[in-house]
Amino acid sequence: MAFEMFSAAHYAALAVLIAACVFIVMFRKQMRKPKLNQAMRFGLAILLLCCEISLQLSYVLEHRWGIGSLPFQLCSLMLLVSALVLIAKRERFYDALFFLGSMGALQALLTPNLDEAFPHFRYFHFFLAHIGIIGSSLFILAVERYRPTFRSVLRAMLWLHVLAIPAAITNSITGTTNFMFLARKPSTASLLDLLAPWPWYLLQLEAISFACFVLLYAAVKGMDYWRSRLDGKTHLKKRRNRNEGNTE
């Protein structure tokens, strides 16, 4: 059975994504405690690594492993970066994980490039891996309190091009692979269908990626501003109540 976008199986996976994000945000303070923090980081990293290992094993067992099985898709690379960041706390990769990981995985979840439907292994692998990437991005934001700057946006754009190098080289050598969709648009429906034909859509993706990164940066800044205003009002209200109590 082929996977269908916005089917019950698709909505179920998106519901799991929302639940995971709510869980991380609600319990962010508890996750900052050293023991729980380490358990969450290592647990999420192990989940991500198991997703990639199980996928590679499935290719081998099904006698389908080939050059196209290399983890050179953007989300495959971000899965490995996520695991590295979580295990080793490599802050130098925070920009790549937050911008590339969250935006790439979110686009994949909304328009999955997936052939197999529930309950096939590939269905579970696809959604667990991408939800794990977004969970890692949110973890460094909410729990580790990573805050991007505008320079982070520029560094993320640089990371995007660096990660595209092995994908582009492999696509050029083989002539058959389509890592990071640099050679052609995906065969399944995606947001790329709205863009110009190859290679012009690559230039459009440059502008779209930059715009999305800026919007994500602005969203974080706006969220922090709203929280600071809310905290300020709460503090002022408490001080007024305390002053009124002292005058009685």
Side-chain angles (χ1 to χ4, degrees):
M1 183 183 298
F3 179 82
E4 295 182 9
M5 283 198 300
F6 306 115
S7 60
H10 191 184
Y11 284 125
L14 294 178
V16 173
L17 168 66
I18 294 172
C21 291
V22 170
F23 177 83
I24 292 173
V25 171
M26 286 186 62
F27 295 99
R28 64 189 183 279
K29 293 183 179 179
Q30 291 87 335
M31 292 182 193
R32 290 171 189 155
K33 297 179 180 179
K35 289 186 178 180
L36 184 56
N37 182 275
Q38 186 180 56
M40 288 299 301
R41 287 190 294 105
F42 277 71
L44 188 52
I46 290 171
L47 172 65
L48 290 168
L49 291 175
C50 285
C51 284
E52 184 60 30
I53 292 171
S54 62
L55 177 64
Q56 297 297 328
L57 281 176
S58 71
Y59 289 145
V60 173
L61 294 175
E62 296 170 4
H63 305 288
R64 294 194 299 120
W65 197 96
I67 194 70
S69 305
L70 292 172
F72 287 163
Q73 291 287 16
L74 179 60
C75 286
S76 297
L77 291 167
M78 294 317 304
L79 184 151
L80 299 176
V81 169
S82 299
L84 175 64
V85 167
L86 291 168
I87 292 174
K89 277 196 170 184
R90 294 298 179 90
E91 296 184 7
R92 69 180 69 180
F93 295 111
Y94 275 12
D95 298 329
L97 171 57
F98 181 68
F99 288 101
L100 302 183
S102 59
M103 297 307 296
L106 181 60
Q107 189 274 335
L109 288 170
L110 293 177
T111 58
N113 182 29
L114 182 64
D115 295 324
E116 295 82 3
F118 176 90
H120 195 278
F121 157 77
R122 189 72 178 86
Y123 167 88
F124 289 102
H125 163 268
F126 182 91
F127 285 108
L128 280 176
H130 288 89
I131 290 172
I133 293 171
I134 292 181
S136 302
S137 303
L138 186 58
F139 188 89
I140 65 171
L141 182 73
V143 180
E144 302 296 338
R145 290 174 281 198
Y146 161 74
R147 286 299 178 269
T149 64
F150 188 74
R151 286 187 177 183
S152 303
V153 174
L154 302 180
R155 286 194 294 266
M157 289 297 296
L158 178 60
W159 274 114
L160 178 61
H161 290 81
V162 170
L163 293 174
I165 293 174
I169 292 175
T170 306
N171 291 341
S172 178
I173 292 175
T174 65
T176 57
T177 57
N178 188 25
F179 292 123
M180 295 180 68
F181 306 122
L182 297 176
R184 56 189 175 276
K185 295 181 182 181
S187 57
T188 55
S190 72
L191 297 177
L192 297 184
D193 295 334
L194 303 176
L195 305 182
W198 186 92
W200 308 114
Y201 74 85
L202 298 177
L203 296 177
Q204 291 175 312
L205 282 176
E206 293 273 355
I208 292 172
S209 298
F210 182 75
C212 288
F213 293 169
V214 170
L215 288 174
L216 189 57
Y217 162 70
V220 174
K221 297 293 288 186
M223 178 189 67
D224 285 344
Y225 176 76
W226 176 78
R227 281 190 58 195
S228 65
R229 289 290 300 271
L230 185 63
D231 291 342
K233 290 180 180 179
T234 302
H235 178 73
L236 182 61
K237 185 177 180 180
K238 288 181 178 179
R239 191 168 70 177
R240 285 176 178 174
N241 292 337
R242 188 164 55 248
N243 292 338
E244 290 175 358
N246 292 334
T247 58
E248 292 180 356

